[in-house]
Each structure stands twice: as structure tokens, then as C-alpha cells.
Amino acid sequence: MSLLEVKNLTISFGGLRAVDDFNIEIKKGQLYGLIGPNGAGKTTVFNLLTGVYKPDEGIISLDGHNITGLKTIEINKAGIARTFQNIRLFKELSVLDNVKVGLHNHYHYSTIEGILRLPKYYKVEKEMDKRAMELLKVFELDGEADYLASNLPYGKQRKLEIARALATEPKLLLLDEPAAGMNPNETGELMDTIRFVRDNFDMTILLIEHDMKLVSGICEELTVLNFGRILTQGETGSVLNNPQVITAYLGE
Amino acid sequence: MKKMKIAKTTKNNLITYSMVLIAYILVQILLITGHISSLMSGLLVPLCIYVMLAVSLNLTVGILGELSLGHAGFMCVGAFSGAFFSKCMDGLMPDGIRFFIALLIGAAAAGIFGILIGIPVLRLKGDYLAIVTLAFGEIIKNLVNVLYIGKDKNGFHFSMKDSISLHLDGEGQVIINGAQGITGTPHDASFTVGILLIFISLIIILNLINSRDGRAIMSIRDNRIAAESTGINITKYKLMAFSISASIAGVAGVLYAHNLSTLTALPKNFGYNMSIMILVFVVLGGIGNIRGSIISAVILTLLPELLRGLSDYRMLIYAIVLIVMMLLNWSPKAVEWKEGLKEKYFSRLHFRKEKEGR
Ligand SMILES: Nc1ncnc2c1ncn2[C@@H]1O[C@H](COP(=O)(O)OP(=O)(O)OP(=O)(O)O)[C@@H](O)[C@H]1O
Ligand SMILES: [Mg+2]
């Protein structure tokens, strides 16, 4: 069964049809790529999937549940987490605390227990620290746990965003240009990390990326967007050899 | 590494608590040895009130990241509800218990107003809170000035016109008398109670900040969109921070009311001037810096009094201190200098560790 099923998704801004009749089906455990030239509507698709925008038309279902029109927070609770093209970390919080915000809905103690520092506070905080450090370790950020998030170098900030998203225990992870601003070395490492996350967290991943090395290296299937419409979709190798895709990328 | 950070916040909080404790002990020694003028000793309770106001406003401004211009309004709500209770119950229960309940009532009343304002306003994106709280502060102040409440055998009587329209019987007593406010509130406030209340406020705020809820609140401040997509309930945590902030201002108001024989709502004590002054304490002490708020509230309250002898130069020096404090907290150079000091200190620690390691 497919984890994510999107049918006929459409949204317009003023006269512009930013996303027009978008369809996609992603199976559990798949590593799926969404590509297309600048302004094609890729980020808008993410914003629709996560409830930042409400679609004009279309149905989004996750794991068999219709999540169309739900609020962003409800969609996160239903199992979609994301990263952002323009990094959005909690800048004045530590690296560790950024991940602990991600753990928020999975570890509980009451406000009173927190203020009075009752035993449950210490117990739960310790568990949260442990889990957060495990996640940071996956991204080799455990050494920087007590840095302010804004003090991390760019590449590590992108990794921290992924760690924070994973902390919410999603079924589907959306990555918006995870390799943007990284050098080839860092991109190579990131590819390994993304594969590791998919394998070890049983994750399904949909990613937007311009870096063709990354896309061809790790994505199993692709959807190509152009001017808000699907140009083609299918298995990575055949999509990348499609002459239409090549023209769209090289520009007419 | 992780341990170091936890140790750091705990140490930071300990410094804040000990600072307050030491100030308290010093003042007590000076009081006993008779080194504090009557003018100064009259300032002790107001100092506690200002510190509580500054610290609580910092929760809204620095931790939640919302601008509030009506903090004095919450203080006003707390002052009148607390004093009203004390006036009604005077002589009917032990003083300590009555004052304690008055404090709780002030906290609850101000907190409820915080929630009532927060529910519609905090849902909006943008800086609507500033304008609404500004209006709230002024409305509350003016409302209290035309409020008449009396009590007789038949119960409570309300009026918005004058005390005669209360139609009290012979035995009846006017409790809130419009612009004349409440007179004869029992004098329960003291410096010791003030310090205790500061401690309680600090425990609530500092422990809140370093908890699950505090992280959620600060994540909204740092990036609302990311917080939302990380599963944080924006409205809930905004309301939580804002109403706790209002409650503590309410408690400060109760303390204020029980330090005076006559409580009236004037532009000076509950108007926007006061709200702005508290905001100045917060900004100069450093937004989000709780200890800074305490220090700046104390310095900026004491300074005009200490400088009284210099009459003409008083406001000049006051202005200079304001500027210096602002520069110290906000200019990039000064921040760099402070960071430099820290780095020097830390790199030395680091060096020592390395040597030990080998
Ligand atoms: N909130 C909005 N209001 C108006 N227009 C918008 C809005 N969001 C996106 N658009 C428009 O929709 C189109 C698609 O934008 P989108 O950000 O989805 O592109 P993208 O494929 O992610 O591009 P890039 O590769 O540059 O990130 C653009 O023309 C953009 O200007
Ligand atoms: Mg984009």
C-alpha cells in the first residue's frame, strides 16, 4: 500500500496556478525525488502537504487517512515532518534543545511538575536528553549539542533541521533542498546519511533537490514539475533520460 | 558537553537567586544598624514591585517574543481585586491568611484578564498584542475610576455613576469609591514579603524557561512556522506565557495595594507611563535576560532617589546611565568585548583540560 497518495492537487495565487493537477503515489520506505526548474512549484507542493497552504482542489491521504485541509500541527501529529529551503531553526536555542522541541509531543510532564521540579521532570528530561543525543549522533552533531543553533556552520544547520524533523517521529519526511549550499564532500556525506535514515528509521522520504548527483544517486523514483504541472514521473534512470526533462532543465 | 550546559544554566539561576538573597541580607543589616534613611526604607517595597513587574514582563517580551504595552493594567487588576477582598474580609480572618488569599485572587484575576485578551489577540500573526494591551491598560484604569461598589446587609451593590446610587442602608460601607478608589486597605506588605514574592516569581519563570513548556514557548519566538510544523501548539503556549506574566504582574499589584492606605488608579501608577517604564527596565536589562531585568529595575528605581542631592544634574546623570546601560547590553562592540572575556576564560579552562589530558 502506498503511504502518501495525492490526487489532483491544485492551488492558485492570484492568476498564477502555482501547482496544477498534481498527483503522486509514494510507497512505504521509498526515497522519492521531486525536481524541476526554479519556480516550478516544488516548495508549494510541500507547503500544501504540510497544511501551510490549503489546496483549492485535490485530496491528500497519508497511510489511508484523508489529511486534506488539516492544520500544520495536526499534519505533523498525523506523521509528516519537514525541513525548509531557507533554514528555519530555533536560533536562540541550543542544538540539543532544537531536537528536544521535536520530541515535545512524545515525552510528557505537566507544567506544575516542571515548575516545582518534581521527580518526573528529572526523569523525563533525562530520557529526552538521551533520545535527542542519539538523534544528534546520527548526524554527527553530538559534539555540538550545547552550541547555539545559529552558531553552527551552514551544512550542520541543515542536518540539525533533519534531526529535529525526525524527532517528531514522522512516517513521511519531506526535505526541501537538503544539499543546498553544501560542497561536493558534504553532499556525499549527506547522501549516506539520508540512506542511513531511510534504512534505520524505516522512513519514507520525499526530497526536493537541484543537485543531480544526489538525485540520481539516492532517489528511486522522480516526479518532474515544470510551471506547476507534472512533466513526467517514474523510475529515476528513465526520467533523467527523458528529452523533455533535459530541455526543461537547460531552458528553452 | 551536555552536562556542562545543564550545569551552566543551573549555575546561572543560582547566581540570580543568591543575588536577591544577598541584597535582602544586606538591606536587613543596614536596617538593623540604622543606616537606611526613612526615605530609602519607603522605597524597599516599591523596589520589589518593580522587580516583579520587570521580570514578569520579560517573560512576555523576551521569552515569548511578544510586545506588551499594558503591563500596568494587569497590575491594576491585581491591585483592585486583592484590595477589594482584603477590605471585605478585614477582621473576619487571620491577617496572614487573608493576605495570602488576596495575593492568589490578584494573580487569578490578572491571569484571567490575560487569557481573555490573549485568546483573540495571540491567535493573530503580527504585532497586534502591543496595541491591544496598550488600550487594555488605559481602559482598565479609566473603568476603575468610575466603579462604585458597596456592601451592606443585602449584599454587594454596583454602580458606574456615584456612591449615592449604590443605595446602601445605614450600616452599609462603600468599598470601591470611584476616583477615590479604595481606602483603608490593611497594610500587609513588607520588604520580606516582597522578597519572598520575588523568589516565587523567579522560581516560576526560570523553571518554566528550562522546561518542556519553556522550550515550546521559545521555539515560537524563534520561528513560528518551524514550531508549528514541529507539532507545537502555538496558541496554547503563547497563552500560557502571557497569562503567567499577567498573573505575576497581578501579584505585584496586590503587594502595591497593601503597601498604601489609599489605592487610586492614576496615570502615574497604572497608566501607560508605568507600562513603558517597565518595558524600559526590560529592554535595558536585556531582552530575555531575567537577571538583567532585576538589576536594571533596581538601578533605575534607586538612581533618581540617590541623585536627589544633585538636584539640577539629576536627570542628566539618569540619562547618561540609561545610555551606558543600553550600550553595554546592545552595542556590538560591547557584546564582542563581553564575549571576548568569556572566551578568554573558557579557552583557559580548555587549555588546562588539555594539559591534564596529556
Ligand atoms: N504565498 C505565495 N504567494 C504568491 N505566490 C507564491 C506564493 N508561494 C509561491 N508562489 C509562487 O509560486 C511559484 C512556485 O514557487 P515555489 O517556491 O513553489 O517554487 P520552487 O519550485 O520551490 O522553486 P525553487 O527551486 O526556486 O525553490 C513561484 O512563481 C512563486 O512566486
Ligand atoms: Mg523551493
Side-chain angles (χ1 to χ4, degrees), chain A residues 72-73 76 84 88-94 96-97 100-102 104-105 107-109 111 114-115 117 121 125 128-129 143 146 164 168, chain B residues 1-2 4-6 203-204 206-208 210-213 215-216 218-219 221-223 225-233 237 240 244:
Chain A
T72 304
I73 173 178
N76 178 264
F84 297 88
R88 291 177 174 275
L89 286 172
F90 308 129
K91 288 189 180 156
E92 299 295 317
L93 297 189
S94 71
L96 184 74
D97 281 350
K100 281 167 88 177
V101 173
H104 189 87
N105 290 326
Y107 293 80
H108 295 273
Y109 56 82
T111 308
I115 286 175
R117 290 288 191 258
Y121 164 85
E125 282 289 318
M128 290 179 97
D129 282 340
D146 63 344
R164 180 183 68 191
T168 68
Chain B
M1 266 247 156
K2 191 188 76 212
M4 211 173 88
K5 184 200 147 216
I6 287 163
I203 288 171
I204 292 174
L206 294 176
N207 284 356
L208 180 75
N210 295 303
S211 76
R212 182 175 167 270
D213 296 326
R215 278 192 298 270
M218 292 185 289
S219 76
R221 169 196 68 189
D222 283 0
N223 203 308
I225 291 174
E228 225 168 350
S229 67
T230 311
I232 301 297
N233 187 337
Y237 286 104
M240 180 188 285
I244 290 176

Side-chain angles (χ1 to χ4, degrees), chain B residues 30-60:
Chain B
L30 290 176
L31 275 175
I32 290 167
T33 55
H35 280 87
I36 289 192
S37 65
S38 63
L39 186 95
M40 271 300 169
S41 68
L43 264 180
L44 292 176
V45 174
L47 264 178
C48 297
I49 293 165
Y50 289 132
V51 166
M52 285 172 71
L53 289 170
V55 164
S56 58
L57 183 62
N58 209 342
L59 178 59
T60 296

Side-chain angles (χ1 to χ4, degrees), chain A residues 26-238:
Chain A
I26 302 180
K27 288 186 273 299
K28 260 194 186 108
Q30 221 175 4
L31 238 167
Y32 201 112
L34 180 59
I35 64 171
N38 290 112
K42 305 179 295 296
T43 300
T44 306
V45 168
F46 273 22
N47 285 334
L48 286 167
L49 293 179
T50 54
V52 175
Y53 300 146
K54 306 271 170 273
D56 297 337
E57 281 171 55
I59 291 175
I60 306 166
S61 48
L62 181 75
D63 221 1
H65 301 284
N66 185 352
I67 57 164
T68 323
L70 293 187
K71 287 192 212 132
T72 304
I73 173 178
E74 289 160 349
I75 288 179
N76 178 264
K77 286 180 176 171
I80 301 185
R82 72 176 291 187
T83 66
F84 297 88
Q85 183 171 353
N86 46 340
I87 301 175
R88 291 177 174 275
L89 286 172
F90 308 129
K91 288 189 180 156
E92 299 295 317
L93 297 189
S94 71
V95 168
L96 184 74
D97 281 350
N98 266 270
V99 178
K100 281 167 88 177
V101 173
L103 295 173
H104 189 87
N105 290 326
H106 301 281
Y107 293 80
H108 295 273
Y109 56 82
S110 69
T111 308
I112 299 293
E113 282 166 326
I115 286 175
L116 298 181
R117 290 288 191 258
L118 298 181
K120 184 144 183 222
Y121 164 85
Y122 292 102
K123 186 174 154 268
V124 175
E125 282 289 318
K126 209 172 138 195
E127 288 166 10
M128 290 179 97
D129 282 340
K130 189 165 158 266
R131 180 70 188 135
M133 287 308 279
E134 279 168 16
L135 283 166
L136 286 177
K137 204 160 254 158
V138 172
F139 297 90
E140 289 170 350
L141 287 166
D142 47 325
E144 283 105 335
D146 63 344
Y147 283 32
L148 275 192
S150 53
N151 288 348
L152 285 182
Y154 194 75
K156 293 196 169 188
Q157 293 197 8
R158 288 219 171 271
K159 287 184 173 176
L160 178 55
E161 262 205 325
I162 304 177
R164 180 183 68 191
L166 274 181
T168 68
E169 297 182 14
K171 295 172 182 160
L172 174 68
L173 182 61
L174 309 180
L175 306 176
D176 198 342
E177 302 198 17
M182 289 188 176
N183 64 34
N185 256 341
E186 290 174 317
T187 305
E189 275 175 37
L190 181 72
M191 287 165 66
D192 293 339
T193 316
I194 292 175
R195 266 197 220 97
F196 180 90
V197 166
R198 193 266 302 267
D199 298 342
N200 287 272
F201 289 79
D202 282 331
M203 196 54 60
T204 309
I205 299 174
L206 171 62
L207 62 84
I208 297 174
E209 191 47 73
H210 284 295
D211 187 320
M212 279 308 143
K213 189 173 137 259
L214 185 144
V215 170
S216 57
I218 63 175
C219 293
E220 291 142 1
E221 268 188 57
L222 294 180
T223 288
V224 186
L225 268 188
N226 198 17
F227 298 113
R229 299 193 66 98
I230 293 177
L231 196 63
T232 176
Q233 53 193 168
E235 187 254 323
T236 301
S238 64

Side-chain angles (χ1 to χ4, degrees), chain B residues 115-129:
Chain B
I115 292 173
L116 288 180
I117 291 176
I119 286 177
V121 179
L122 290 171
R123 303 175 88 98
L124 303 172
K125 295 171 190 174
D127 286 330
Y128 295 98
L129 191 68

Side-chain angles (χ1 to χ4, degrees), chain B residues 142-168:
Chain B
N142 291 317
L143 209 61
V144 162
N145 271 313
V146 294
L147 184 65
Y148 297 83
I149 300 179
K151 192 179 91 170
D152 62 14
K153 286 198 297 290
N154 304 321
F156 290 108
H157 299 257
F158 293 84
S159 166
M160 299 291 272
K161 222 168 111 222
D162 50 38
S163 56
I164 298 167
S165 353
L166 289 173
H167 302 300
L168 297 173

Side-chain angles (χ1 to χ4, degrees), chain B residues 35-328:
Chain B
H35 280 87
I36 289 192
S37 65
S38 63
L39 186 95
M40 271 300 169
S41 68
L43 264 180
L44 292 176
V45 174
L47 264 178
C48 297
I49 293 165
Y50 289 132
V51 166
M52 285 172 71
L53 289 170
V55 164
S56 58
L57 183 62
N58 209 342
L59 178 59
T60 296
V61 176
I63 307 302
L64 176 61
E66 293 275 344
L67 187 55
S68 165
L69 298 176
H71 213 50
F74 295 114
M75 181 192 176
C76 182
V77 169
F80 275 88
S81 54
F84 180 80
F85 173 80
S86 289
K87 192 83 200 290
C88 292
M89 289 297 160
D90 202 8
L92 296 179
M93 54 168 81
D95 288 0
I97 296 175
R98 187 205 55 223
F99 185 44
F100 180 70
I101 297 177
L103 289 167
L104 291 184
I105 287 177
I112 288 168
F113 271 89
I115 292 173
L116 288 180
I117 291 176
I119 286 177
V121 179
L122 290 171
R123 303 175 88 98
L124 303 172
K125 295 171 190 174
D127 286 330
Y128 295 98
L129 191 68
I131 196 79
V132 174
T133 46
L134 180 65
F136 159 75
E138 293 307 292
I139 290 169
I140 280 292
K141 188 194 72 198
N142 291 317
L143 209 61
V144 162
N145 271 313
V146 294
L147 184 65
Y148 297 83
I149 300 179
K151 192 179 91 170
D152 62 14
K153 286 198 297 290
N154 304 321
F156 290 108
H157 299 257
F158 293 84
S159 166
M160 299 291 272
K161 222 168 111 222
D162 50 38
S163 56
I164 298 167
S165 353
L166 289 173
H167 302 300
L168 297 173
D169 63 17
E171 309 274 284
Q173 182 197 17
V174 181
I175 298 175
I176 300 184
N177 192 11
Q180 269 111 56
I182 301 182
T183 42
T185 317
H187 193 286
D188 291 326
S190 70
F191 182 52
T192 305
V193 171
I195 290 286
L196 264 175
L197 292 176
I198 289 179
F199 265 111
I200 294 172
S201 311
L202 283 177
I203 288 171
I204 292 174
I205 292 172
L206 294 176
N207 284 356
L208 180 75
I209 292 174
N210 295 303
S211 76
R212 182 175 167 270
D213 296 326
R215 278 192 298 270
I217 292 166
M218 292 185 289
S219 76
I220 299 168
R221 169 196 68 189
D222 283 0
N223 203 308
R224 180 199 166 104
I225 291 174
E228 225 168 350
S229 67
T230 311
I232 301 297
N233 187 337
I234 308 284
T235 312
K236 173 183 163 184
Y237 286 104
K238 279 189 167 186
L239 267 180
M240 180 188 285
F242 188 61
S243 56
I244 290 176
S245 164
S247 283
I248 296 174
V251 171
V254 179
L255 190 64
Y256 177 83
H258 290 75
N259 192 41
L260 302 166
S261 49
T262 306
L263 175 68
T264 48
L266 304 167
K268 196 178 71 169
N269 57 2
F270 297 137
Y272 66 88
N273 289 323
M274 179 69 158
S275 297
I276 299 290
M277 191 176 80
I278 305 164
L279 188 63
V280 168
F281 294 163
V282 170
V283 171
L284 290 179
I287 290 176
N289 181 347
I290 302 296
R291 198 192 310 151
S293 290
I294 304 177
I295 296 172
S296 78
V298 171
I299 291 181
L300 294 180
T301 310
L302 285 185
L303 206 64
E305 302 301 327
L306 291 175
L307 296 177
R308 227 169 248 284
L310 295 167
S311 55
D312 286 352
Y313 298 106
R314 197 174 116 210
M315 286 327 282
L316 179 68
I317 295 180
Y318 189 79
I320 291 174
V321 171
L322 279 181
I323 292 169
V324 168
M325 279 176 69
M326 191 159 75
L327 286 179
L328 265 182

